[in-house]
Amino acid sequence: MIIKIKKNAVQSEVANLLDNLKAQGYDIHSSFGETVQIYGVVGDTAKFDTRSLYAYECVESVIRIQEPFKKVNRKIKSEDTIITIKDVKIGGNNVVIMAGPCSVESLEQVEIIAEKVKASGAKILRGGAFKPRTSPYAYQGMGLEGLKILRQVADKHDMLVVSELMDAEHIDMFEEYVDIIQIGARNMQNFALLKKLGKCNTPVLLKRGFANTIEEWLMSAEYIMAGGNDEVILCERGIRTFEPMTRNTLDISTIPVVKKISHLPVIIDPSHAAGKWDLVESLSMASIAAGADGLIIEVHHEPEKALSDGAQSLKPKKFDDLMKKARVLAEAVNRTV
Ligand code: PEP
Ligand code: MN
């Protein structure tokens, strides 16, 4: 529920209104523009008689939000959220490119790949140090050592680091070594983890679960924001459908749909959607054309030897070709890669 306050309202009456709502157990989130004063009322408002609020003279209008998410909602914040980390902006007119291996395998491997993807225009280095593998016998990642490698190499090339967090016990470690915490598809509804992320100061890249609706995905973002962390980047990485020709089905319509209802940046992971390197370029172009705020792409210099996801990893030269095309396309749609 959103309450818009009259322009010249008596502030003591506004305080009285807010106190009464808090006394009923609701959380209040405020948003102040030049001339508007708006409050988001968070809690179970389903049974609330919104008309009763018009008894307060200071209330101009009350909107019952159909959607259960509030802080992620464009109705409460109309302008796009732009997340600034050092000199990189995510959201707005930018198409930010994150690239790197699926898994960190060694310092040498990350060094080779980072140098290439940076030269092609990637600003953020990706790499998994803690890997969510379907099989417990598959490569699990280098752990803390992997995070240290990412940090060291990214600093050398003036890049940011994004890496996946799986365990709440590692949050402090991640805050020390990464610029963006990735929450993978498998943990999108790990609510205990999301709540803890709400209390940290590092931006979160929240992947959509492969069997989750857009509303469930936005509700997970809401968990993080409700905890106090406003810096959430949404990432569509393909969902499970009946179609076996691709690893997942890239739901390209999430871009216009989410942008309409939320102010958060939306990026696309064409690698996990496709599962095959030769589809990555087409899906990347489609994503930029549809208005994505960025891409996260797996790149490996020796994909045949990669310890995970080699089949969907681009070689650096192919990534460079993709970046050249991406720049031309982005310019055509008034955006900057
Ligand atoms: C990854 O980015 O390497 C990864 C495991 O992604 P997802 O959570 O989308 O499967
Ligand atoms: Mn991967």
Side-chain angles (χ1 to χ4, degrees):
M1 186 169 66
I2 288 170
I3 304 173
K4 188 173 176 199
I5 301 297
K6 283 180 188 156
K7 205 171 165 191
N8 297 316
V10 177
Q11 290 305 312
S12 59
E13 210 202 354
V14 177
N16 184 26
L17 161 69
L18 300 182
D19 284 347
N20 285 348
L21 288 166
K22 283 182 201 155
Q24 291 179 62
Y26 295 110
D27 278 341
I28 309 291
H29 295 281
S30 50
S31 169
F32 300 106
E34 286 256 299
T35 53
V36 287
Q37 188 179 351
I38 286 173
Y39 293 99
V41 182
V42 182
D44 184 11
T45 57
K47 297 189 199 98
F48 199 91
D49 177 10
T50 51
R51 286 185 319 122
S52 68
L53 292 173
Y54 288 100
Y56 293 89
E57 272 186 44
C58 61
V59 172
E60 181 170 304
S61 56
V62 182
I63 305 166
R64 184 184 285 291
I65 303 177
Q66 293 295 312
E67 305 89 4
F69 41 84
K70 314 220 184 251
K71 294 216 84 175
V72 309
N73 206 313
R74 254 204 208 279
K75 285 180 190 153
I76 203 159
K77 181 172 181 281
S78 56
E79 67 280 8
D80 287 343
T81 286
I82 299 176
I83 296 169
T84 306
I85 313 169
K86 294 174 190 161
D87 57 347
V88 178
K89 289 196 185 312
I90 305 166
N93 238 13
N94 313 295
V95 181
V96 72
I97 308 296
M98 313 182 183
C102 175
S103 298
V104 175
E105 298 167 8
S106 67
L107 173 62
E108 191 200 10
Q109 172 235 21
V110 178
E111 177 54 49
I112 292 168
I113 297 169
E115 191 192 351
K116 298 274 189 203
V117 297
K118 166 75 186 193
S120 301
K123 296 199 168 113
I124 303 177
L125 181 61
R126 69 143 287 150
F130 294 85
K131 295 303 299 175
R133 305 307 301 278
T134 303
S135 164
Y137 309 116
Y139 180 60
Q140 302 287 309
M142 288 182 78
L144 173 60
E145 196 51 39
L147 292 185
K148 288 184 179 170
I149 289 173
L150 286 168
R151 185 73 271 159
Q152 182 188 329
V153 175
D155 286 347
K156 179 173 167 197
H157 295 284
D158 193 20
M159 297 177 84
L160 302 179
V161 171
V162 58
S163 193
E164 178 170 352
L165 169 81
M166 293 200 295
D167 188 335
E169 283 185 10
H170 295 157
I171 289 182
D172 289 347
M173 187 200 290
F174 271 68
E175 288 213 280
E176 187 176 344
Y177 291 102
V178 313
D179 301 290
I180 303 171
I181 295 175
Q182 175 176 325
I183 295 300
R186 292 157 191 82
N187 266 317
M188 189 208 85
Q189 284 191 313
N190 182 340
F191 300 118
L193 185 57
L194 300 179
K195 279 186 189 169
K196 293 211 167 108
L197 291 167
K199 299 282 168 237
C200 74
N201 295 315
T202 305
V204 177
L205 186 150
L206 179 67
K207 288 199 166 193
R208 178 181 180 186
F210 36 68
N212 287 108
T213 64
I214 291 174
E215 185 170 299
E216 287 164 344
W217 184 26
L218 293 177
M219 289 308 290
S220 290
E222 187 79 20
Y223 260 92
I224 300 169
M225 295 183 75
N229 185 350
D230 287 337
E231 299 193 309
V232 180
I233 303 153
L234 298 165
C235 177
E236 160 69 39
R237 44 78 75 209
I239 50 173
R240 256 189 203 164
T241 67
F242 48 80
E243 179 52 67
M245 290 272 188
T246 50
R247 184 176 181 187
N248 293 284
T249 297
L250 180 61
D251 184 2
I252 205 94
S253 50
T254 52
I255 303 167
V257 169
V258 172
K259 287 195 153 286
K260 196 165 144 190
I261 55 183
S262 176
H263 51 83
L264 294 175
V266 184
I267 72 157
I268 297 291
D269 174 346
S271 307
H272 290 87
K276 293 175 186 156
W277 64 268
D278 56 340
L279 302 177
V280 170
E281 186 181 292
S282 304
L283 298 185
S284 299
M285 295 303 128
S287 304
I288 294 173
D293 295 305
L295 300 169
I296 180 165
I297 297 178
E298 289 187 337
V299 177
H300 201 293
H301 62 302
E302 290 176 325
E304 311 82 1
K305 295 188 188 158
L307 296 182
S308 61
D309 287 349
Q312 66 198 32
S313 299
L314 288 179
K315 287 187 179 163
K317 168 77 175 76
K318 294 257 185 263
F319 175 72
D320 193 60
D321 294 345
L322 181 157
M323 288 295 284
K324 289 194 175 104
K325 290 187 189 171
R327 261 187 220 105
V328 175
L329 177 59
E331 207 181 309
V333 291
N334 283 327
R335 316 197 65 222
T336 319
V337 171

